[in-house]
Amino acid sequence: MNRSPENSPLYILGIESSCDETAAAVVADGRLICSNIISSQVELHARYGGVVPEIASRRHLELINLIIEQALAEARLNLSELDAVAVSSGPGLVGALLVGVSTAKALAYAARLPLIAVNHVEAHLYANFLTGAGVRYPLVALIASGGHTTLLLMPEPEQIIALGQTRDDAAGETFDKVARAMGLGYPGGPAIDRLAAAGRPDAVEFPRAYLDEEARFDFSFSGLKSAVINYLHHLRQKKEELPLPDLAASFQEALVRVLVDKTVAAAREHNAACVLLAGGVAANSRLRSLMRAELSQALPAVPLYFPPPALCTDNAAMIAAAAFPLYRQGLFAPLDLNAQAGLPPGR
Ligand code: KG4
Ligand code: ZN
């Protein structure tokens, strides 16, 4: 590689395989998407009502080389023109993660590139760096996805502190399980979001778990999930009917309220200069509108940013973007890097 570092952008190839998306992307300087290829396995898992880990791993293995080739071709770069290879090394399904990690290690070794291990949950927030948003610090980020619900604090660019996370079901998982009980199929979040638009959010009062003072930034959604499922059973037993849009809107309201209240409280407590939303659930229209309304009322000077829906759900551009500050700090991974299913956020 003969490019001079001063005027040439830094190209990072990102690889993502932590759950049911096989993805590769090239991002320049952590901000500019040169390519972003995503192959979703949603249809493969839909018939089982959720992700089947073994099927996910096999599919990743079939697709990953092809997806990486496409990402490089679309970016009009070859391996020797890259500056680093970054991979989601956890958290996630261990078999699925291993496909990405092994592929990234092989590429890094073969092309003599530095390898960067990225935390998948932290990476979600970096989707907001790909949209031209004026991110400022300290920032508070809510990462709500199918596998995680986490509140993160970034006091400054290279520091990430986990403020709280879910104690049981993740927000997206709760959407998916409730949708399944309502017969709406997988993934349930988008289906409930659409249905709720025509429903009354105050039709049924479902429980909202705020937890005690020490756990004020943690989440718990299993009580809400059970309450909605029990409510549905009772309706069916008594052969009563409640319009599904009302049920969807009431459930969504209970879940979204808790996400919004805790995020706004964290932003206030930590004097946030901006608030970021990320993860699949950040695509939810009620979460976006309620967060905007509540934040502008409580902290009018604090802007809210969220990525477009395609960058909310799993993708590899966010992995490459998250790797950029690690590259600048020289935080490279060894070639014996392993996948870590339970990798916690924070550094
Ligand atoms: O971030 P993501 O692609 O995967 C994980 O890292 O887990 O998030 C997928 C999750 C699914 O649970 C899906 O139901 C949820 O995000 N989701 C939504 C919406 N779009 C996707 N949940 C609520 N409303 C939506 N519009
Ligand atoms: Zn994710």
Side-chain angles (χ1 to χ4, degrees):
M1 189 167 38
N2 295 319
R3 287 181 285 117
S4 80
E6 299 86 53
N7 51 29
S8 167
L10 205 107
Y11 292 108
I12 299 184
L13 170 71
I15 298 175
E16 160 61 37
S17 69
S18 67
C19 190
D20 61 344
E21 265 91 26
T22 320
V26 177
V27 171
D29 290 338
R31 287 179 184 269
L32 185 77
I33 298 178
C34 305
S35 63
N36 188 21
I37 311 292
I38 306 171
S39 170
S40 170
Q41 304 178 3
V42 162
E43 280 168 29
L44 208 59
H45 300 281
R47 76 186 92 151
Y48 305 103
V51 178
V52 182
E54 182 62 23
I55 295 178
S57 314
R58 284 169 192 265
R59 191 72 175 153
H60 286 312
L61 208 51
E62 282 166 19
L63 289 177
I64 196 132
N65 288 335
L66 201 69
I67 299 285
I68 291 170
E69 275 171 28
Q70 277 183 25
L72 290 172
E74 203 163 286
R76 296 177 186 276
L77 292 170
N78 51 49
L79 268 181
S80 65
E81 292 170 297
L82 294 174
D83 294 283
V85 178
V87 65
S88 199
S89 64
L93 303 169
V94 74
L97 285 165
L98 270 172
V99 177
V101 168
S102 315
T103 309
K105 289 199 292 192
L107 279 180
Y109 179 72
R112 297 169 188 269
L113 290 170
L115 177 68
I116 302 175
V118 171
N119 181 303
H120 175 91
V121 172
E122 294 175 11
H124 269 293
L125 82 83
Y126 282 91
N128 286 290
F129 289 63
L130 296 166
T131 59
V135 173
R136 286 181 289 143
Y137 302 89
L139 68 81
V140 162
L142 171 70
I143 319 297
S145 70
H148 320 281
T149 309
T150 306
L151 262 174
L152 296 177
L153 168 69
M154 281 184 87
E156 51 194 74
E158 262 91 45
Q159 203 186 354
I160 297 185
I161 297 167
L163 297 176
Q165 45 213 313
T166 186
R167 301 210 155 177
D168 39 55
D169 299 63
E173 185 183 359
T174 311
F175 268 101
D176 293 338
K177 288 178 176 168
V178 165
R180 189 176 177 174
M182 290 170 72
L184 298 177
Y186 174 84
I192 290 189
D193 194 354
R194 274 194 302 276
L195 206 57
R200 291 177 301 139
D202 56 355
V204 191
E205 183 83 23
F206 285 121
R208 297 159 191 206
Y210 284 94
L211 308 175
D212 50 26
E213 181 54 20
E214 302 93 84
R216 65 194 181 288
F217 296 136
D218 279 347
F219 301 91
S220 168
F221 294 117
S222 66
L224 170 62
K225 174 191 67 185
S226 305
V228 181
I229 293 173
N230 287 341
Y231 189 88
L232 263 171
H233 285 323
H234 282 131
L235 280 181
R236 283 176 189 149
Q237 267 172 359
K238 289 192 278 173
K239 301 210 174 357
E240 282 177 15
E241 273 191 22
L242 177 80
L244 278 188
D246 282 353
L247 193 65
S250 301
F251 154 69
Q252 179 176 271
E253 194 67 14
L255 190 146
V256 161
R257 268 278 163 204
V258 175
L259 293 177
V260 169
D261 289 347
K262 292 192 178 232
T263 306
V264 172
R268 192 197 293 276
E269 190 169 314
H270 293 282
N271 290 321
C274 75
V275 171
L276 308 181
L277 295 185
V281 181
N284 184 268
S285 55
R286 181 64 181 149
L287 176 61
R288 290 171 176 231
S289 64
L290 191 65
M291 191 75 83
R292 172 147 283 154
E294 295 292 316
L295 194 64
S296 65
Q297 179 147 30
L299 302 165
V302 178
L304 171 70
Y305 299 116
F306 41 75
L311 290 175
C312 283
T313 45
D314 287 348
N315 64 84
M318 69 184 195
I319 304 300
F324 182 62
L326 300 176
Y327 182 98
R328 284 194 305 193
Q329 292 171 85
L331 293 175
F332 302 122
L335 282 176
D336 64 354
L337 173 71
N338 208 347
Q340 265 187 283
L343 185 67
R347 67 178 120 95

